[in-house]
Amino acid sequence: MLALISGDGMQRTQLEIATQLGIDKSTLVPLLDRLERDGLIVRTTSERDRRVRIPQATPADVKVVRQVAIARDAAINDRLAAIPPAERASFHATLWRIAGGAATQK
């Protein structure tokens, strides 16, 4: 969720985030409450509709997302270390094709 909020610079409403993650808004709100309490996000009011809240990343969120990405990449590289680079590239390409196909089948 943090990566979605801070990842591409787009502002999303809470409902848009819930929809993109495939979870109910009633499940999302307590998670956002916790992230806000921990200083990882702030929620602002939409300029178009004061009833709509827009979660935004804080510097702490960006730092956490970066640390998680580094740890994730290290873990993946560790797991795939025994695979020669050419085979690893082919493996990644296959995974991206699978992920792309899954996204288009929804």
Side-chain angles (χ1 to χ4, degrees), residues 19-40:
T19 300
Q20 195 160 0
L21 294 175
I23 61 175
D24 190 76
K25 187 177 174 186
S26 63
T27 301
L28 177 73
V29 171
L31 297 172
L32 291 174
D33 289 343
R34 192 173 328 138
L35 293 173
E36 188 171 38
R37 182 193 68 223
D38 292 344
L40 298 172

Side-chain angles (χ1 to χ4, degrees), residues 62-101:
V62 175
K63 182 178 178 182
V64 167
V65 169
R66 189 176 305 123
Q67 289 171 338
V68 168
I70 290 168
R72 177 205 59 218
D73 292 346
I76 290 169
N77 286 331
D78 185 50
R79 292 283 184 172
L80 300 179
I83 300 173
E87 290 179 36
R88 192 184 303 191
S90 176
F91 176 68
H92 281 129
T94 300
L95 289 177
W96 281 113
R97 279 195 307 274
I98 292 168

Side-chain angles (χ1 to χ4, degrees), residues 7-56:
D8 59 9
M10 289 184 55
Q11 290 189 347
R12 292 173 178 85
T13 66
Q14 292 182 176
L15 181 58
E16 289 169 335
I17 291 169
T19 300
Q20 195 160 0
L21 294 175
I23 61 175
D24 190 76
K25 187 177 174 186
S26 63
T27 301
L28 177 73
V29 171
L31 297 172
L32 291 174
D33 289 343
R34 192 173 328 138
L35 293 173
E36 188 171 38
R37 182 193 68 223
D38 292 344
L40 298 172
I41 66 163
V42 293
R43 285 184 270 192
T44 60
T45 305
S46 169
E47 293 177 4
R48 292 178 296 195
D49 185 343
R50 293 183 329 176
R51 298 169 293 173
V52 175
R53 306 288 302 270
I54 300 173
Q56 296 181 320

